[in-house]
Amino acid sequence: MESKNIAAIEIASSKIKGAVGQIGPDGKLTVLALEEIPATNNVRYGRVQNIREVSGAVNEIVRRLEASPAVAPGRISSLAISIGGRSLAASPTKAALQFPNECEITESHVQRLIYEASRDFMGEKNIEAMVPRNFFVNNTSVHKAVGTFGETLRGEFMMLTCGKETRQNLDRLKLDTVTPDSVYYIVRPLAIADLVLTDADRELGCALVDIGAETSTVSVYKDGTLAFLSTIPMGSRLITLDLMAGLGVTEGEAETYKTTLTAADAASNMRPGDPDAEEVNSYVRARAGEIAANILNQIERSGLTAASLAKIVLVGGGARLAEFATQISAQCKTPVETAGMPHNIVFRVAGGNRPENIDIVSLLSKARTSARTFITYPVRPEAAPRVVADILPEEEEEEEVEAPAAPAATAPAPAPQTTAAYGRRLPAEDDDALLDDDPEEEEEEEQYERPSSNGGKRGGIFGFLKRGRKEEAEPVDDDDTYDVYDDEPEDEPEEPQDDDPDNYKKITSGLNKLRDRMIKIFEGDENYE
């Protein structure tokens, strides 16, 4: 298994987080980069309100992640984005299939069963996930249907849905480097449960409570699977609003009082002018008790009692307030614990293993099953193939042996020359010999000479007048002949000699015949050979 990089975005009511993780060959998750930006009033109850502001925040987080030394020079081309909020809920559904003969149940049969269970849904929400609860093959309950044989297959599922506007606003986000088709949506409560709950917790019974800024999601697990899921519009921000109204402070100051003066070492965190810690705790205790009562009411709606559960696990930003665990435990008499970051997660970011980052880390862990390519890296251009000429193998070095002295009259044979264009070996020639006439060439010229009608000798298709080497033709001067480097002619042109009219007639006749033959050649006379 090769390493795989994953990028995820968590859009919550209080802040927007982004992270990049790497799944190693051993399946271990390593968080490479982590960024967050406040999102107050841009996201309400888990639903995006201001599309432009949230799009800008997500793009800024993507740029920061890409600029991280652990990610660069990679580019984020796909994102895993969480789905949650006030409209997220689960409802039970079921479907059945009948086969003509007994057959083996395959994965395609299970997928068809899921399709049949969701086909008749007529609600005004979007179906985000189908979680199997139980399968029945020939009316016998089985934990896994794939691999069994039967004539009938029946299944019970929990269908998770959310408001259409919640999904539409996520689809409307305008991202710079990520297209809408490259977005992978993950239901946040399911991802968190896969990260922090064990198989024993699911089997014995457990309630997972995600307390956010404006919403709280309650997921109940029993017999190894999801039995109930609901979201209430109540979160830790209600405590902040109470402090703002009761103490007459800003939201930022109220948030600081809520997180510092309610801690065990509140006295050491107090500054001059801060309200009394007990007064702050009174506001926190009152509102936390109300939220705890509504959480327990959702557990009762699942058909189970809080006392029948093995424990209640708290996650989310509100879980940092110890008053929530105290109030829930006091009202239901059930063990309550705050989930911590799993120890098998490795962080290359300082302070990244805080419990409030469980939500974004759970998205990275859940996205490992996706076949998408979240981060692409530039491909280095391959080096051009080297063209290597055929080189003869190097001769092995031989020991030097003194050769007998050659006679002085014998000249060493010249090294063979090779043409650069074709690599043919040519016999060596003396430079002075190139200036002399080749006797073979003279014989070749005499071979092609034939008598002409005017008594001279001609050769070739043009019938040039060729004279023997002993008889040299007199030069014919042109009246307009000038020296190339002088402005005036060197000598006056000589008048034609009238004392030899026969020679003049021979030259004129040869030129005329040459002209006639060239005309016949270029005009294509068929009778001319």
Side-chain angles (χ1 to χ4, degrees), residues 454 465 467 473-474 476 501-513:
N454 58 0
L465 189 64
R467 297 180 179 272
E474 296 180 2
V476 179
D502 294 336
N503 187 28
Y504 179 77
K505 290 179 181 181
K506 290 180 181 181
I507 296 175
T508 304
S509 176
L511 293 175
N512 291 335
K513 290 182 179 182

Side-chain angles (χ1 to χ4, degrees), residues 229-284:
L229 188 145
S230 179
T231 304
I232 58 176
M234 303 180 72
S236 61
R237 194 183 182 194
L238 292 177
I239 300 176
T240 304
L241 298 177
D242 291 343
L243 294 175
M244 291 173 59
L247 303 178
V249 295
T250 63
E251 184 173 358
E253 292 175 340
E255 188 70 25
T256 302
Y257 296 154
K258 181 181 69 175
T259 56
T260 58
L261 299 185
T262 58
D265 55 348
S268 60
N269 294 329
M270 292 186 64
R271 298 169 300 178
D274 287 347
D276 184 59
E278 183 59 31
E279 182 180 4
V280 173
N281 281 324
S282 63
Y283 284 104
V284 174

Side-chain angles (χ1 to χ4, degrees), residues 338-418:
T338 301
M341 187 69 67
H343 297 290
N344 59 346
I345 307 296
V346 180
F347 287 86
R348 293 188 183 179
V349 183
N353 59 347
R354 296 175 298 175
E356 54 265 32
N357 289 329
I358 287 179
D359 49 4
I360 186 64
V361 174
S362 66
L363 297 181
L364 297 176
S365 179
K366 187 71 173 180
R368 73 174 67 196
T369 59
S370 175
R372 296 172 179 265
T373 300
F374 291 89
I375 300 179
T376 57
Y377 289 87
V379 180
R380 296 182 178 179
E382 298 182 358
R386 298 178 58 187
V387 179
V388 182
D390 295 336
I391 301 176
L392 297 176
E394 297 182 359
E395 299 180 356
E396 297 181 358
E397 295 183 358
E398 300 180 357
E399 297 181 359
E400 296 182 358
V401 179
E402 295 183 358
T410 304
Q417 298 179 354
T418 304

Side-chain angles (χ1 to χ4, degrees), residues 32-358:
L32 304 178
L34 186 64
E35 298 289 340
E36 66 178 41
I37 293 178
T40 305
N41 299 326
N42 292 328
V43 181
R44 297 303 307 274
Y45 300 101
R47 176 185 297 175
V48 176
Q49 296 290 338
N50 194 318
I51 305 296
R52 178 177 297 179
E53 294 293 332
V54 174
S55 298
V58 174
N59 289 325
E60 178 61 25
I61 289 178
V62 170
R63 285 191 291 269
R64 293 182 184 180
L65 294 175
E66 291 177 345
S68 174
V71 179
R75 290 293 178 263
I76 297 177
S77 57
S78 183
L79 282 174
I81 299 181
S82 64
I83 290 182
R86 181 171 56 182
S87 63
L88 184 65
S91 58
T93 184
K94 58 184 178 180
L97 295 177
Q98 181 75 34
F99 307 110
N101 298 312
E102 187 179 43
C103 63
E104 181 181 359
I105 307 300
T106 62
E107 185 63 29
S108 61
H109 293 145
V110 175
Q111 294 300 322
R112 180 184 171 189
L113 190 67
I114 293 175
Y115 169 76
E116 293 292 337
S118 60
R119 186 181 62 173
D120 297 333
F121 177 71
M122 301 298 294
E124 296 181 354
K125 293 185 176 182
N126 287 341
I127 300 176
E128 301 298 339
M130 295 288 290
V131 180
R133 289 199 62 196
N134 201 4
F135 291 103
F136 297 89
V137 179
N138 292 344
N139 295 326
T140 302
S141 177
V142 295
H143 183 64
K144 291 184 179 180
V146 177
T148 61
F149 284 80
E151 296 181 356
T152 61
L153 175 63
R154 181 164 53 92
E156 298 177 350
F157 306 91
M158 294 299 296
M159 182 170 56
L160 275 66
T161 60
C162 75
K164 291 184 177 180
E165 186 178 355
T166 300
R167 179 63 178 270
Q168 288 175 355
N169 289 352
L170 290 176
D171 293 335
R172 290 169 180 168
L173 295 178
K174 298 179 181 180
L175 307 180
D176 295 338
T177 60
V178 180
T179 61
D181 296 337
S182 301
V183 175
Y184 176 50
Y185 292 107
I186 297 177
V187 180
R188 179 171 57 245
L190 298 181
I192 294 177
D194 291 343
L195 184 67
V196 301
L197 297 183
T198 63
D199 293 339
D201 295 336
R202 299 168 187 266
E203 189 68 29
L204 298 176
C206 175
L208 177 64
V209 181
D210 182 9
I211 305 176
E214 295 182 338
T215 60
S216 295
T217 303
V218 181
S219 305
V220 179
Y221 288 83
K222 186 68 174 178
D223 298 329
T225 184
L226 179 67
F228 178 82
L229 188 145
S230 179
T231 304
I232 58 176
M234 303 180 72
S236 61
R237 194 183 182 194
L238 292 177
I239 300 176
T240 304
L241 298 177
D242 291 343
L243 294 175
M244 291 173 59
L247 303 178
V249 295
T250 63
E251 184 173 358
E253 292 175 340
E255 188 70 25
T256 302
Y257 296 154
K258 181 181 69 175
T259 56
T260 58
L261 299 185
T262 58
D265 55 348
S268 60
N269 294 329
M270 292 186 64
R271 298 169 300 178
D274 287 347
D276 184 59
E278 183 59 31
E279 182 180 4
V280 173
N281 281 324
S282 63
Y283 284 104
V284 174
R285 191 178 302 112
R287 183 62 72 174
E290 179 185 1
I291 296 175
N294 283 271
I295 290 173
L296 295 176
N297 181 50
Q298 296 299 316
I299 296 176
E300 297 291 335
R301 287 183 55 195
S302 67
L304 302 172
T305 61
S308 65
L309 300 178
K311 60 181 177 179
I312 298 175
V313 180
L314 303 181
V315 295
R320 292 180 295 172
L321 298 177
E323 198 62 38
F324 276 110
T326 302
Q327 290 294 325
I328 293 175
S329 179
Q331 295 183 30
C332 67
K333 308 298 182 181
T334 302
V336 180
E337 65 181 36
T338 301
M341 187 69 67
H343 297 290
N344 59 346
I345 307 296
V346 180
F347 287 86
R348 293 188 183 179
V349 183
N353 59 347
R354 296 175 298 175
E356 54 265 32
N357 289 329
I358 287 179

